[in-house]
């Protein structure tokens, strides 16, 4: 790459980083370390291809400043886990908002595909959900308790089993994402088609509202964070396909770390979803207003944490606010 092209590609990042150092913006040690790695990677590249240039001298200067800043901020006290979930992760996640949007759109599309397929092929639901589940649900409908499946298992056993399974699906989405992101999208497609056909099955029986008010008590958080895990897989795959100025191995390591952080962010939400499914969803007698309140509150929590909080922290950082 010619030096002019290299500078043009990265200059905005360098100037922005220099302004953070100059204006003494608030940063966590991990954030500064990540930025420092980016600068030193660019410096290494410049030293290799433009050893005596002004670009190399400039990058060397700001890398020294960054090094000093890191060792000062590493002394900051505080609970690292709390800081990770409340500030470090949301701030990092802002840069992956487009991968999140893609994961959401793919999931929505295949949910519609699942519903359409169920509507046009009467055997499709059995193919996706299995004969045993369909027959059991039809029996529950005949017994005037269509959501009885959520009442049969012990609350604690259901909570633990569902939480473990959901976390497993989340990590699989991330791991399969290393297959150029296609693996993550495939897992998303499977779950989305299942959801679409499942929801149509109840709609076809005249139970759309009854099923929705029950299923989405836990499903709002569960499905949302599965989409976030698909996003994590896309981030992992993106590092392999688009290394930018890094070597492919360096890019893979960086994207793998970012994707893992995204998956780890979902674990508390999977626990909440498992708790709701194990202990709350089974109470189908609850008033509609309460069910709507839980669903609405769950959606507000997800949107706040994965959409609005990252935007807010990014703006604060850009404006030099703590």
């Amino acid at each position: 790459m010619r030096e002019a092209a290299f500078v043009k590609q990265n200059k905005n990042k360098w100037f922005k980083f220099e302004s953070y150092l100059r204006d003494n913006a608030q940063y966590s040690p991990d954030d500064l370390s990540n930025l420092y790695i980016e600068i030193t990677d660019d410096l290494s590249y410049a030293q290799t291809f433009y050893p005596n240039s002004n670009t190399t001298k400039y990058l060397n200067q700001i890398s020294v400043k960054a090094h000093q800043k890191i060792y000062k901020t590493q002394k900051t006290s505080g609970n690292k886990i709390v800081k990770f979930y409340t500030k470090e992760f949301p701030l990092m996640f802002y840069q992956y908002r487009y991968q999140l949007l893609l994961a959401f759109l793919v999931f929505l599309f295949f949910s519609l595909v699942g519903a359409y397929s169920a509507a046009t092929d009467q055997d499709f639901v059995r193919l996706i959900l299995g004969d045993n589940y369909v027959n059991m649900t039809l029996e529950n409908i005949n017994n005037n308790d269509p959501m009885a499946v959520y009442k049969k298992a012990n609350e604690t056993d259901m909570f633990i089993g569902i939480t473990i399974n959901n976390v497993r699906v989340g990590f699989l989405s991330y791991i399969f994402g290393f297959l150029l992101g296609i693996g993550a999208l495939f897992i998303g497609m499977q779950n989305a088609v299942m959801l679409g056909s499942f929801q149509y099955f109840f709609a076809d029986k005249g139970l759309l509202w009854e099923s929705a008010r029950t299923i989405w008590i836990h499903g709002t958080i569960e499905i949302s964070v599965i989409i976030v895990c698909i996003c994590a897989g896309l981030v992992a795959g993106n590092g392999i396909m688009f290394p930018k100025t890094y070597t492919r191995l360096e890019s893979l390591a960086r994207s793998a770390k970012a994707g893992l952080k995204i998956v780890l962010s979902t674990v508390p939400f999977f626990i909440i979803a498992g708790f709701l499914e194990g202990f709350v969803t089974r109470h189908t007698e609850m008033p509609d207003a309460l069910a709507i309140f839980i669903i609405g509150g769950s959606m507000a929590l997800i949107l706040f944490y994965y959409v609005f909080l990252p935007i807010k922290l990014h703006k604060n950082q850009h404006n030099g606010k703590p």
Side-chain angles (χ1 to χ4, degrees):
M1 183 186 299
R2 298 183 63 180
E3 183 179 359
F6 175 70
V7 172
K8 183 178 180 180
Q9 178 176 311
N10 295 287
K11 65 179 182 180
N12 289 337
K13 174 181 64 179
W14 300 339
F15 294 161
K16 186 177 182 180
F17 180 49
E18 189 179 20
S19 72
Y20 292 149
L21 297 175
R22 183 179 62 248
D23 299 335
N24 197 33
Q26 295 294 318
Y27 255 92
S28 72
D30 285 344
D31 290 332
L32 280 170
S33 296
N34 290 336
L35 289 169
Y36 177 64
I37 290 171
E38 290 193 31
I39 295 300
T40 53
D41 285 343
D42 291 343
L43 173 60
S44 177
Y45 185 90
Q47 288 173 330
T48 301
F49 294 101
Y50 331 112
N52 300 314
S53 69
N54 289 330
T55 300
T56 302
K57 294 177 182 178
Y58 167 74
L59 289 173
N60 186 63
Q61 289 174 354
I62 62 174
S63 68
V64 171
K65 292 179 182 178
H67 184 270
Q68 295 172 345
K69 183 81 171 180
I70 289 168
Y71 281 93
K72 287 181 181 178
T73 55
Q74 279 180 338
K75 297 178 182 179
T76 303
S77 62
N79 189 309
K80 289 186 176 181
I81 295 178
V82 173
K83 287 177 65 177
F84 170 78
Y85 280 104
T86 59
K87 184 174 181 181
E88 294 174 22
F89 168 76
L91 188 58
M92 179 211 76
F93 191 62
Y94 175 82
Q95 64 187 300
Y96 301 116
R97 60 196 183 282
Y98 295 117
Q99 286 90 334
L100 178 63
L101 177 61
L102 175 59
F104 169 75
L105 292 176
V106 168
F107 197 94
L108 177 61
F109 172 76
F110 282 107
S111 295
L112 296 175
V113 168
Y116 177 79
S117 299
T120 55
D121 183 352
Q122 61 180 358
D123 295 324
F124 185 77
V125 173
R126 290 184 176 274
L127 176 67
I128 298 298
L129 301 179
D131 286 331
N132 289 338
Y133 181 85
V134 172
N135 291 336
M136 176 190 66
T137 303
L138 289 174
E139 182 178 348
N140 290 337
I141 292 172
N142 290 333
N143 292 332
N144 295 318
D145 193 5
M147 299 292 110
V149 65
Y150 295 106
K151 306 174 183 178
K152 293 182 178 179
N154 173 268
E155 289 97 330
T156 302
D157 292 343
M158 192 173 183
F159 161 53
I160 295 173
I162 287 169
T163 300
I164 292 174
N165 181 68
N166 286 339
V167 171
R168 180 185 66 84
V169 171
F171 274 90
L172 282 177
S173 299
Y174 163 64
I175 293 170
F176 276 57
F178 288 101
L179 301 174
L180 306 181
I182 298 173
L185 292 176
F186 178 75
I187 290 180
M189 178 194 72
Q190 284 184 311
N191 283 273
V193 168
M194 185 180 299
L195 174 65
S197 59
F198 176 89
Q199 199 66 82
Y200 178 82
F201 172 69
F202 284 100
D204 188 52
K205 304 301 179 184
L207 296 167
L208 177 61
W209 172 245
E210 176 70 19
S211 64
R213 70 176 295 280
T214 302
I215 295 162
W216 289 99
I217 286 175
H218 64 270
T220 301
I221 292 179
E222 180 182 295
I223 296 300
S224 296
V225 288
I226 284 176
I227 292 173
V228 172
C229 289
I230 296 169
C231 168
L234 293 176
V235 170
N238 188 68
I240 301 173
M241 294 187 293
F242 307 107
K244 298 181 180 179
T245 60
Y246 309 107
T247 66
R248 204 168 293 277
L249 184 59
E250 289 172 331
S251 179
L252 172 60
R254 291 170 60 82
S255 63
K257 182 179 178 181
L260 181 59
K261 286 183 177 181
I262 294 172
V263 175
L264 289 175
S265 79
T266 66
V267 173
F269 291 100
F270 276 131
I271 293 173
I272 294 172
F275 175 83
L276 289 173
E277 187 166 359
F279 291 93
V280 181
T281 299
R282 64 181 58 237
H283 295 288
T284 55
E285 75 282 359
M286 76 170 65
D288 286 351
L290 179 57
I292 293 171
F293 175 78
I294 295 172
I295 294 169
S298 297
M299 180 55 65
L301 176 63
I302 291 295
L303 288 175
F304 170 76
Y305 189 71
Y306 287 105
V307 179
F308 298 119
L309 182 59
I311 293 174
K312 179 179 183 294
L313 292 179
H314 175 77
K315 288 181 177 179
N316 288 347
Q317 181 192 74
H318 184 73
N319 295 327
K321 297 179 181 180

